[in-house]
Amino acid sequence: MNTSMLLGKLSLDALPFYSPIAAAGAAVIVFGGLGVIALITWLRAWPYLWREWFTSTDHKKIGMMYVGLALVMLMRGFVDALMMRAQQAMAMNAEGYLTPDHFQQIFSSHGTIMIFFMAMPFLFGLMNYVVPLQLGARDVAFPLMNAISFWLTAAGAALVMVSLVIGVFSTGGWSGYPPYTELSYSPTVGVDYWIMALLVSGVGTTLGAINLVVTIYKMRAPGMKLMQMPLFCWTALCASLLAVFALPGLTVAAGLLGLDRYLGMHFFTNDGGGNVMNYANLFWIFGHPEVYILILPAFGIFSSVIPTFSQKKLFGYNVLVYATMCIAVLSFTVWLHHFFTMGADANVNAFFGIMTMVIAVPTGVKVYDWILTMFRGRLRFDTPMLWSIAFIVTFVIGGMTGVILAIPPLDYVFHNTLFLIAHFHNMLIPGVLFGLFAGYAYWFPKATGFPLDEAWGRRAFIFWVVGFYLAFMPLYALGFTGAPRRMAYYDQPEWQIYFVIAAIGALSVLAGIICQVIQLVVSIRNRDRTTSFAGDPWGGQTLEWATSSPPPEYNFAVLPRVNSLDAFEEAKESGQPYVWPEKYDPIEVPRNSMTGVLLGGTSFVLGFAAVWHIWWLAALSLLGVIGIVIARSFATDTTRFISADEVKAHESRWRTAVLAQGKASS
Amino acid sequence: MTDQPNQHPGINISHARPEDGRHTEVTVFGFWTFLMSDAIIFALLFATYATMVNRTAGGPTAAELFDITNAFIETIVLLASSFTFGMGAVALKEGRVGGVRLWLVVSLVLGLVFIGLELREFAGLAARGATAQASGFLSSFYVLLSTHGLHVLFGCLWIVVMLAQISVFGLNRQVRSRILRLGLFWHFLDLVWIVIFTVVYLPAVAT
Ligand code: HEM
Ligand SMILES: [Cu+2]
C-alpha cells in the first residue's frame, strides 16, 4: 500500500465499498451520526449539552453518560450478533450473505464492543453514579480525572465505530491472538484499530478504577467503617482493584503486539525469536480477572436489589464480603484455563483446573446467600427483582458448564467449540447484562426522578430470557457435536436446525431490546404523572435513597454520620430517616472543565493517526495531550461554592416532597 | 474520611502542615495506587524479558553485548539523582524555595545525563547490528529499557513543569503536594532501574 506524508495509508480505498453490506452498515453510522447532530442543532441543544454534560465533573452526570455510551454500544454489538446469527442460520452448504472476512470482522467487533465498550462503561457508569452516594460522599476523589476517564473510554469506542466507515476492523477476535494478528497475516489496519481502541480506553479504565479505589478508601461518610459499606461498594472496590492490577496485562499485550506491527519487533512473530505463548499468557492474565471485573459489580447490584425487594436485610453480609475478596484474589490464579490445549504439561493443567473449580466455591456461597435473603421475605416482583431471579437460575447453569470446561481432558474436547460460546454467554448475559439491567431499572428513578415503565419492562424481560435460552442452549448441543466457534459456513446438515433456533432466539432478544427502547420513550412521556422528588421509591436500605431524586450536585447537604450497616434502613427504624438542619453552609464543588472532552478528542485523533500512519498528526496530537495536561495543571480557580441559600432552597423543596409523600401514604 | 484518618507511612506530613494532611492523604494515596499499576507493567515486561533472553535468533547474546561499566555509571547517576531529590524534599519541608529549586535542577540534570548515557548505549548497540528488530531477545531488551527511559524523560518534563509552577505560585499547597508525588515517582524509577540492573546486566556478566 502506498503511504503519503500527508495522509499516511489513508486513501479513498479505505471506504467500505468492498461489500454492499459493509457499505450499508457504514451508511447507517454516517447518517445516524449526522441525524443526531442535525437534531441537536435543530433543538439548539449544543450549549446545554456542553454546559451541563460534556464539561461536567459531577460523578452523577458522568455516570449517566457512561450508561448512555454503553446503551448505544449495546445496540451496535447486538446488530453484530444478529448478523452472525443470520449468517449461520443460512450458511449450510452455502456461502451465506457475508464473506468470511466480513464475518470475522463482525465477531471480532461484537466481542470487543460487548466486553470493552458495552459491559465496562455500563458498570463504570453505575459504579460512578451509585458508589459515592452509597458512601455518603459528595463526589469521587478526583472529579476531573473521572471526566477524563469517561472521555477516553468514549474515544476508544469512537475508534471502533469509525473503523466501520473508514477502513476495516480486526479479524482476530476479541482476544487478538498472534501470529495471526501480526503484520504478515493481517496486513490491513483492522488490528491497529483494535490495538489503539483498547490502549486509549484502557488508560481511561485504569484512571477510573484508581478513582473508585481512592473514593472507597478515603471518602466514606464520617464514621462509616469498611464493614459498614453496602455490598455494592465492596464489589466495586474489588473490581476496581482487579482493574488496577489486571489491565496492565492488556496494555502490555496489545502494546507489544503494536510494536511488532509498527516497528518490526519480534515479540510474538513466528520468526526472529518471537514467542506467541507469551501473548496468550499476558492477555489472559488480564482476561480472566477481566471477567470478574465485569461480574463482581453485577453481584453487588443483585446484592442491593434482592434485599430491597425481599424487604429483608441481606443474608450473610460478612460472608459475601469475604467471598468477594476470595474471588478477587483467586481470579489471578486461573488464567491458564483459557489455553489448556496449548502445550502446558499435565501437572500445570491440573493445577489450573483445580483452581478454576475452587473459584466456584465462593461463587456458590453467594448464590446461597441471595436465596436465603429471599427466604421468608415479602417478595415484590418489580423488574429489577425479575432480572435478579432470572440471573440466579440461569447463572447456575452457566456455572456448571464452566466446571465442565475446567476439567482439562474435557476441555480438550470442547475447546474452541460452540460449547464455550454457550458457556460464557451463559455467564455474561444473565450474570453481567441482567445485573446491569437490574441496576438500570433500580437506580433509574434515582437518577431521573421518574421510574421506568413496568409493563414494558416486563415484556422486555420475558423476551430477553426466552431469547437467551433459545439462542444459547442450542449452542451447547452444537458444541457436543463438535461445531467450532467462529465458523462462517458449514456442511453438516444436522447442525442447521440448531442455528435456526438460535437465530429465532436472537430475534426474541431483538424484541426485548425494542421493548426497552419503547420503555424508555414511554417512561419519559409519562414522567409528569410519575415523577417523585422524594427519592425513595423502592423502600431502599442504603444511603443513595436518603437523597432527593435526582440528587443535588452536592449529594448531601450535611454529610451523614454512619455507625451501622444499611445506614438508611437503620435511620428509618430509629424513626429519624432524614436530617434537615436549621442552618446550611455553602458547599464547595468542582467547576466544570473542558479538559476531559479535549483530552478524549485529542486521544481519538492520536489513535486514528496512528492507525493510518499519519505521523505528523500523531505527533501533533501527542503534544496536544501533554500540553493540555500541563496547561490544566496551571489552573487555579477550579472549584466554586454553592451558596447556603441555594442549598437551603433545594433541601426545603425536597423536605416538602418527602412530607407530602408521607401524608399520602399514611 | 473516617473518624481517625489513617495515614500512610512516609507521607505523614500532617504534623508539620496540618492543612496539607487531608489533601495529600487523598492524592498521594491515589498516586500510590497508580504506581502499583505501573509496577505491574514493569513486572510483566521483566517477565517477558526473562522468557525472551535466550531467543536470540542466531544474533548476538546478552553476554556478548552488555557493558556493565556503562550500566554501573547509569546506576550511580540515577541513584545520585534520587539523593538530590531527597535533598529537595528536605528543603521543601523546611520551606526553602531556593533549596527546592536548586535540588530539582540538579536532579533534572542527572536525569538527563542518565537518558543521554542510555541513548549512547543504544546507539552503540545499534551500530553493532543489535537493533530491536534483530531478535525477540533484543526487542524485549529495548522495550523494557525504553519504557523505563521514557518514564525518566516524563519525570524530567514533570520537574520542568514544577520549576515553572514554583515560579508562578511559590510553594503553595498544590505545588508542595505535586512535588511530593513527583518524588515518589522519581524514587520508584530508581527502584525499577535496580531491578533492571540485576535482571538484565548482572546475569550477562556472570555468564
Ligand atoms: C445479546 C445477545 C447476544 C448474542 C445473540 C450473541 C451472539 C454471539 C455470537 C453468534 C458469537 C460468535 C460465536 C462464534 O464464534 O461462532 C458471539 C461471540 C462473542 N460474544 Fe456474544 N452475543 C450476545 C451477547 C453478548 C454479550 C452481552 C457479551 C459480553 C458482555 C458477548 C461477548 C461475546 C464475545 C467476547 C464473543 C467472542 C468473540 C470472538 O470470537 O472473539 N456477547 N456472540
Ligand atoms: Cu477465565
Short mmCIF file of all heavy atoms in Angstrom, two decimals, chain A residues 74 78 81-82 84-85 88 103 107-108 110-112 114-115 118-119 172-175 294 418 421 424-425 428-429 432-433 464 471-472 475 484-487 506 509, ligand 1:
data_model
loop_
_atom_site.label_atom_id
_atom_site.label_comp_id
_atom_site.label_asym_id
_atom_site.label_seq_id
_atom_site.Cartn_x
_atom_site.Cartn_y
_atom_site.Cartn_z
N LEU A 74 -24.36 -1.19 23.05
CA LEU A 74 -25.11 -2.45 23.12
C LEU A 74 -25.87 -2.67 21.81
O LEU A 74 -25.90 -3.78 21.27
CB LEU A 74 -26.07 -2.43 24.30
CG LEU A 74 -27.03 -3.61 24.41
CD1 LEU A 74 -26.28 -4.91 24.66
CD2 LEU A 74 -28.05 -3.41 25.52
N PHE A 78 -25.16 -5.69 19.40
CA PHE A 78 -26.24 -6.64 19.16
C PHE A 78 -26.53 -6.78 17.67
O PHE A 78 -26.84 -7.88 17.19
CB PHE A 78 -27.50 -6.23 19.91
CG PHE A 78 -28.61 -7.20 19.69
CD1 PHE A 78 -28.53 -8.48 20.20
CD2 PHE A 78 -29.70 -6.87 18.91
CE1 PHE A 78 -29.52 -9.41 19.95
CE2 PHE A 78 -30.69 -7.78 18.66
CZ PHE A 78 -30.60 -9.07 19.18
N ALA A 81 -24.34 -9.29 16.51
CA ALA A 81 -24.78 -10.64 16.90
C ALA A 81 -25.87 -11.14 15.96
O ALA A 81 -25.84 -12.28 15.49
CB ALA A 81 -25.27 -10.63 18.34
N LEU A 82 -26.83 -10.26 15.66
CA LEU A 82 -27.91 -10.65 14.75
C LEU A 82 -27.35 -11.06 13.40
O LEU A 82 -27.80 -12.05 12.80
CB LEU A 82 -28.85 -9.46 14.53
CG LEU A 82 -30.04 -9.30 15.45
CD1 LEU A 82 -30.88 -8.12 14.98
CD2 LEU A 82 -30.88 -10.57 15.48
N MET A 84 -24.46 -12.27 12.72
CA MET A 84 -23.81 -13.59 12.78
C MET A 84 -24.84 -14.69 12.83
O MET A 84 -24.70 -15.73 12.18
CB MET A 84 -22.91 -13.67 14.01
CG MET A 84 -21.65 -12.86 13.88
SD MET A 84 -20.55 -13.13 15.27
CE MET A 84 -21.37 -12.30 16.59
N ARG A 85 -25.87 -14.47 13.64
CA ARG A 85 -26.92 -15.48 13.75
C ARG A 85 -27.59 -15.72 12.40
O ARG A 85 -27.88 -16.84 12.03
CB ARG A 85 -27.94 -15.07 14.81
CG ARG A 85 -27.49 -15.35 16.21
CD ARG A 85 -27.71 -16.82 16.52
NE ARG A 85 -26.62 -17.45 17.24
CZ ARG A 85 -25.59 -18.04 16.67
NH1 ARG A 85 -25.46 -18.10 15.37
NH2 ARG A 85 -24.67 -18.61 17.38
N GLN A 88 -25.18 -17.71 10.11
CA GLN A 88 -25.02 -19.14 10.40
C GLN A 88 -26.32 -19.91 10.18
O GLN A 88 -26.29 -21.09 9.89
CB GLN A 88 -24.50 -19.32 11.82
CG GLN A 88 -23.03 -18.91 11.93
CD GLN A 88 -22.44 -19.15 13.30
OE1 GLN A 88 -23.13 -19.05 14.30
NE2 GLN A 88 -21.16 -19.46 13.34
N PHE A 103 -17.38 -11.73 8.03
CA PHE A 103 -17.89 -12.45 9.20
C PHE A 103 -16.88 -12.36 10.35
O PHE A 103 -17.25 -12.11 11.51
CB PHE A 103 -18.13 -13.92 8.82
CG PHE A 103 -18.73 -14.73 9.95
CD1 PHE A 103 -20.09 -14.64 10.23
CD2 PHE A 103 -17.95 -15.58 10.71
CE1 PHE A 103 -20.64 -15.39 11.27
CE2 PHE A 103 -18.50 -16.32 11.75
CZ PHE A 103 -19.85 -16.23 12.02
N PHE A 107 -17.50 -10.92 14.26
CA PHE A 107 -17.39 -11.48 15.61
C PHE A 107 -16.30 -10.77 16.41
O PHE A 107 -16.40 -10.65 17.63
CB PHE A 107 -17.26 -13.02 15.62
CG PHE A 107 -16.00 -13.62 15.06
CD1 PHE A 107 -14.78 -13.41 15.66
CD2 PHE A 107 -16.07 -14.43 13.94
CE1 PHE A 107 -13.64 -13.99 15.16
CE2 PHE A 107 -14.91 -15.02 13.43
CZ PHE A 107 -13.69 -14.78 14.04
N SER A 108 -15.29 -10.26 15.70
CA SER A 108 -14.27 -9.52 16.45
C SER A 108 -14.82 -8.24 17.04
O SER A 108 -14.58 -7.91 18.20
CB SER A 108 -13.09 -9.19 15.53
OG SER A 108 -12.61 -10.35 14.92
N HIS A 110 -17.99 -7.58 17.58
CA HIS A 110 -19.00 -7.93 18.58
C HIS A 110 -18.36 -8.18 19.94
O HIS A 110 -18.75 -7.59 20.95
CB HIS A 110 -19.79 -9.15 18.12
CG HIS A 110 -20.64 -9.79 19.18
ND1 HIS A 110 -21.84 -9.25 19.56
CD2 HIS A 110 -20.45 -10.89 19.96
CE1 HIS A 110 -22.36 -10.01 20.53
NE2 HIS A 110 -21.53 -11.01 20.78
N GLY A 111 -17.36 -9.07 19.97
CA GLY A 111 -16.73 -9.41 21.24
C GLY A 111 -16.06 -8.20 21.87
O GLY A 111 -16.24 -7.91 23.06
N THR A 112 -15.29 -7.46 21.06
CA THR A 112 -14.58 -6.30 21.59
C THR A 112 -15.56 -5.27 22.15
O THR A 112 -15.38 -4.75 23.25
CB THR A 112 -13.74 -5.66 20.47
OG1 THR A 112 -12.92 -6.67 19.89
CG2 THR A 112 -12.88 -4.54 21.00
N MET A 114 -18.80 -5.66 23.05
CA MET A 114 -19.61 -6.10 24.18
C MET A 114 -18.81 -6.06 25.48
O MET A 114 -19.30 -5.64 26.52
CB MET A 114 -20.14 -7.51 23.94
CG MET A 114 -21.28 -7.55 22.95
SD MET A 114 -22.70 -6.62 23.58
CE MET A 114 -24.02 -7.30 22.61
N ILE A 115 -17.57 -6.50 25.44
CA ILE A 115 -16.78 -6.53 26.66
C ILE A 115 -16.29 -5.12 27.03
O ILE A 115 -16.52 -4.65 28.14
CB ILE A 115 -15.55 -7.44 26.51
CG1 ILE A 115 -15.98 -8.85 26.14
CG2 ILE A 115 -14.68 -7.40 27.76
CD1 ILE A 115 -16.31 -9.75 27.28
N MET A 118 -19.37 -1.98 26.01
CA MET A 118 -20.73 -2.08 26.50
C MET A 118 -20.69 -2.40 27.99
O MET A 118 -21.05 -1.57 28.83
CB MET A 118 -21.50 -3.14 25.71
CG MET A 118 -22.99 -3.17 25.96
SD MET A 118 -23.47 -3.85 27.54
CE MET A 118 -23.19 -5.60 27.27
N ALA A 119 -20.20 -3.61 28.33
CA ALA A 119 -20.24 -4.03 29.73
C ALA A 119 -19.40 -3.10 30.62
O ALA A 119 -19.86 -2.64 31.68
CB ALA A 119 -19.77 -5.47 29.85
N GLY A 172 -9.23 -10.61 14.09
CA GLY A 172 -8.53 -11.51 15.00
C GLY A 172 -9.29 -11.88 16.26
O GLY A 172 -8.69 -12.39 17.21
N GLY A 173 -10.59 -11.63 16.31
CA GLY A 173 -11.34 -11.98 17.51
C GLY A 173 -11.10 -10.96 18.61
O GLY A 173 -10.24 -10.07 18.48
N TRP A 174 -11.86 -11.09 19.69
CA TRP A 174 -11.70 -10.09 20.75
C TRP A 174 -10.38 -10.27 21.48
O TRP A 174 -9.90 -9.37 22.15
CB TRP A 174 -12.88 -10.12 21.72
CG TRP A 174 -12.77 -11.13 22.82
CD1 TRP A 174 -12.95 -12.46 22.70
CD2 TRP A 174 -12.46 -10.87 24.20
NE1 TRP A 174 -12.76 -13.06 23.92
CE2 TRP A 174 -12.46 -12.11 24.86
CE3 TRP A 174 -12.17 -9.73 24.94
CZ2 TRP A 174 -12.18 -12.23 26.22
CZ3 TRP A 174 -11.90 -9.86 26.29
CH2 TRP A 174 -11.90 -11.10 26.92
N SER A 175 -9.78 -11.47 21.34
CA SER A 175 -8.53 -11.72 22.06
C SER A 175 -7.30 -11.45 21.20
O SER A 175 -6.19 -11.46 21.72
CB SER A 175 -8.52 -13.16 22.57
OG SER A 175 -8.90 -14.04 21.53
N LEU A 294 -16.07 -7.66 35.48
CA LEU A 294 -17.43 -7.48 34.98
C LEU A 294 -18.45 -8.05 35.95
O LEU A 294 -19.49 -7.45 36.20
CB LEU A 294 -17.59 -8.19 33.63
CG LEU A 294 -16.74 -7.67 32.47
CD1 LEU A 294 -16.94 -8.54 31.25
CD2 LEU A 294 -17.11 -6.24 32.15
N LEU A 418 -18.57 -24.39 19.97
CA LEU A 418 -19.65 -23.51 20.38
C LEU A 418 -20.08 -23.77 21.82
O LEU A 418 -20.79 -22.96 22.41
CB LEU A 418 -20.83 -23.66 19.42
CG LEU A 418 -20.54 -23.03 18.06
CD1 LEU A 418 -21.63 -23.38 17.06
CD2 LEU A 418 -20.43 -21.52 18.18
N ILE A 421 -18.73 -20.95 23.62
CA ILE A 421 -19.50 -19.72 23.35
C ILE A 421 -20.77 -19.75 24.21
O ILE A 421 -21.14 -18.75 24.84
CB ILE A 421 -19.86 -19.63 21.86
CG1 ILE A 421 -18.61 -19.62 21.00
CG2 ILE A 421 -20.73 -18.42 21.59
CD1 ILE A 421 -17.82 -18.36 21.06
N PHE A 424 -19.81 -19.03 28.00
CA PHE A 424 -19.52 -17.69 28.52
C PHE A 424 -20.66 -16.71 28.28
O PHE A 424 -20.85 -15.80 29.08
CB PHE A 424 -18.14 -17.17 28.10
CG PHE A 424 -17.97 -16.73 26.69
CD1 PHE A 424 -18.59 -15.59 26.22
CD2 PHE A 424 -17.14 -17.43 25.84
CE1 PHE A 424 -18.40 -15.17 24.92
CE2 PHE A 424 -16.94 -17.01 24.54
CZ PHE A 424 -17.59 -15.89 24.08
N HIS A 425 -21.46 -16.93 27.23
CA HIS A 425 -22.66 -16.10 27.14
C HIS A 425 -23.62 -16.42 28.29
O HIS A 425 -24.33 -15.57 28.78
CB HIS A 425 -23.36 -16.28 25.80
CG HIS A 425 -22.68 -15.55 24.67
ND1 HIS A 425 -21.66 -16.10 23.95
CD2 HIS A 425 -22.87 -14.31 24.16
CE1 HIS A 425 -21.25 -15.23 23.03
NE2 HIS A 425 -21.96 -14.13 23.14
N LEU A 428 -22.16 -14.32 30.96
CA LEU A 428 -22.14 -12.86 30.76
C LEU A 428 -23.53 -12.28 30.60
O LEU A 428 -23.78 -11.17 31.05
CB LEU A 428 -21.30 -12.53 29.52
CG LEU A 428 -19.80 -12.71 29.68
CD1 LEU A 428 -19.09 -12.55 28.36
CD2 LEU A 428 -19.25 -11.71 30.68
N ILE A 429 -24.43 -13.00 29.96
CA ILE A 429 -25.75 -12.38 29.75
C ILE A 429 -26.55 -12.38 31.05
O ILE A 429 -26.94 -11.31 31.52
CB ILE A 429 -26.47 -13.02 28.55
CG1 ILE A 429 -25.69 -12.65 27.30
CG2 ILE A 429 -27.91 -12.52 28.46
CD1 ILE A 429 -26.29 -13.15 26.02
N VAL A 432 -23.76 -10.63 33.93
CA VAL A 432 -23.41 -9.22 33.80
C VAL A 432 -24.58 -8.40 33.28
O VAL A 432 -25.03 -7.44 33.90
CB VAL A 432 -22.18 -9.05 32.88
CG1 VAL A 432 -21.82 -7.59 32.77
CG2 VAL A 432 -21.02 -9.85 33.42
N LEU A 433 -25.11 -8.82 32.14
CA LEU A 433 -26.08 -7.95 31.47
C LEU A 433 -27.38 -7.84 32.27
O LEU A 433 -27.91 -6.74 32.45
CB LEU A 433 -26.35 -8.49 30.06
CG LEU A 433 -26.91 -7.47 29.11
CD1 LEU A 433 -25.95 -6.30 28.99
CD2 LEU A 433 -27.13 -8.08 27.74
N TRP A 464 -36.19 -11.20 26.59
CA TRP A 464 -34.76 -11.42 26.79
C TRP A 464 -34.49 -12.82 27.33
O TRP A 464 -33.60 -13.51 26.86
CB TRP A 464 -34.20 -10.39 27.77
CG TRP A 464 -33.50 -9.24 27.13
CD1 TRP A 464 -34.01 -8.00 26.89
CD2 TRP A 464 -32.16 -9.20 26.64
NE1 TRP A 464 -33.08 -7.20 26.29
CE2 TRP A 464 -31.92 -7.90 26.14
CE3 TRP A 464 -31.11 -10.12 26.59
CZ2 TRP A 464 -30.70 -7.51 25.58
CZ3 TRP A 464 -29.89 -9.73 26.05
CH2 TRP A 464 -29.71 -8.44 25.55
N ALA A 471 -31.37 -18.84 22.16
CA ALA A 471 -30.17 -18.52 21.37
C ALA A 471 -28.96 -19.32 21.82
O ALA A 471 -28.07 -19.58 21.02
CB ALA A 471 -29.86 -17.02 21.45
N PHE A 472 -28.91 -19.70 23.08
CA PHE A 472 -27.65 -20.30 23.54
C PHE A 472 -27.73 -21.76 23.94
O PHE A 472 -26.71 -22.45 23.90
CB PHE A 472 -27.04 -19.45 24.65
CG PHE A 472 -26.54 -18.15 24.10
CD1 PHE A 472 -27.26 -16.98 24.25
CD2 PHE A 472 -25.37 -18.12 23.37
CE1 PHE A 472 -26.81 -15.80 23.68
CE2 PHE A 472 -24.92 -16.94 22.81
CZ PHE A 472 -25.64 -15.78 22.97
N LEU A 475 -26.47 -23.97 21.31
CA LEU A 475 -25.03 -23.96 21.09
C LEU A 475 -24.32 -25.00 21.95
O LEU A 475 -23.26 -25.51 21.58
CB LEU A 475 -24.44 -22.57 21.36
CG LEU A 475 -24.97 -21.38 20.57
CD1 LEU A 475 -23.95 -20.25 20.60
CD2 LEU A 475 -25.25 -21.73 19.13
N PRO A 484 -17.30 -25.98 15.55
CA PRO A 484 -16.34 -24.99 16.04
C PRO A 484 -16.93 -23.59 16.13
O PRO A 484 -17.92 -23.28 15.48
CB PRO A 484 -15.22 -25.03 14.99
CG PRO A 484 -15.84 -25.59 13.78
CD PRO A 484 -17.01 -26.42 14.19
N ARG A 485 -16.32 -22.78 16.98
CA ARG A 485 -16.72 -21.37 17.05
C ARG A 485 -16.15 -20.63 15.84
O ARG A 485 -15.35 -21.18 15.09
CB ARG A 485 -16.23 -20.75 18.35
CG ARG A 485 -14.73 -20.57 18.39
CD ARG A 485 -14.22 -20.14 19.75
NE ARG A 485 -14.53 -18.76 20.07
CZ ARG A 485 -13.89 -18.05 21.02
NH1 ARG A 485 -12.91 -18.63 21.72
NH2 ARG A 485 -14.22 -16.83 21.29
N ARG A 486 -16.57 -19.39 15.66
CA ARG A 486 -16.02 -18.50 14.63
C ARG A 486 -16.08 -19.13 13.24
O ARG A 486 -15.14 -19.05 12.45
CB ARG A 486 -14.57 -18.14 14.94
CG ARG A 486 -14.43 -17.38 16.23
CD ARG A 486 -12.98 -17.10 16.58
NE ARG A 486 -12.87 -16.26 17.79
CZ ARG A 486 -11.73 -15.98 18.39
NH1 ARG A 486 -10.61 -16.45 17.92
NH2 ARG A 486 -11.71 -15.22 19.46
N MET A 487 -17.23 -19.76 12.94
CA MET A 487 -17.34 -20.54 11.73
C MET A 487 -18.28 -19.81 10.78
O MET A 487 -19.45 -19.60 11.09
CB MET A 487 -17.90 -21.90 12.13
CG MET A 487 -18.10 -22.88 11.05
SD MET A 487 -18.68 -24.42 11.77
CE MET A 487 -20.24 -23.91 12.46
N ALA A 506 -32.23 -15.03 18.90
CA ALA A 506 -31.68 -13.68 18.74
C ALA A 506 -32.80 -12.70 18.36
O ALA A 506 -32.80 -11.55 18.80
CB ALA A 506 -30.59 -13.69 17.68
N VAL A 509 -34.51 -11.74 21.44
CA VAL A 509 -33.73 -10.71 22.15
C VAL A 509 -33.94 -9.36 21.49
O VAL A 509 -34.09 -8.33 22.17
CB VAL A 509 -32.23 -11.09 22.16
CG1 VAL A 509 -31.39 -9.93 22.67
CG2 VAL A 509 -32.00 -12.32 23.02
C1 HEM C 1 -27.43 -10.27 23.16
C2 HEM C 1 -27.33 -11.43 22.69
C3 HEM C 1 -26.03 -11.96 22.14
C4 HEM C 1 -25.96 -12.78 21.07
C5 HEM C 1 -27.13 -13.28 20.22
C6 HEM C 1 -24.56 -13.08 20.85
C7 HEM C 1 -24.07 -13.88 19.83
C8 HEM C 1 -22.76 -14.18 19.62
C9 HEM C 1 -22.26 -14.95 18.53
C10 HEM C 1 -23.11 -15.58 17.46
C11 HEM C 1 -20.91 -15.04 18.67
C12 HEM C 1 -19.95 -15.75 17.74
C13 HEM C 1 -19.84 -17.17 18.10
C14 HEM C 1 -18.87 -17.86 17.24
O1 HEM C 1 -17.66 -17.65 17.41
O2 HEM C 1 -19.30 -18.62 16.38
C15 HEM C 1 -20.55 -14.31 19.82
C16 HEM C 1 -19.25 -14.17 20.28
C17 HEM C 1 -18.91 -13.41 21.40
N1 HEM C 1 -19.77 -12.72 22.22
FE1 HEM C 1 -21.76 -12.60 22.01
N2 HEM C 1 -23.81 -12.46 21.82
C18 HEM C 1 -24.66 -11.76 22.63
C19 HEM C 1 -24.31 -11.00 23.73
C20 HEM C 1 -23.02 -10.87 24.22
C21 HEM C 1 -22.66 -10.15 25.41
C22 HEM C 1 -23.64 -9.43 26.33
C23 HEM C 1 -21.31 -10.25 25.54
C24 HEM C 1 -20.39 -9.67 26.61
C25 HEM C 1 -20.68 -8.95 27.61
C26 HEM C 1 -20.82 -11.03 24.44
C27 HEM C 1 -19.48 -11.34 24.24
C28 HEM C 1 -19.01 -12.11 23.21
C29 HEM C 1 -17.63 -12.42 23.00
C30 HEM C 1 -16.46 -11.96 23.86
C31 HEM C 1 -17.56 -13.24 21.86
C32 HEM C 1 -16.31 -13.85 21.26
C33 HEM C 1 -15.86 -13.09 20.08
C34 HEM C 1 -14.68 -13.77 19.48
O3 HEM C 1 -14.83 -14.89 18.97
O4 HEM C 1 -13.60 -13.20 19.54
N3 HEM C 1 -21.87 -11.38 23.65
N4 HEM C 1 -21.69 -13.79 20.40
#
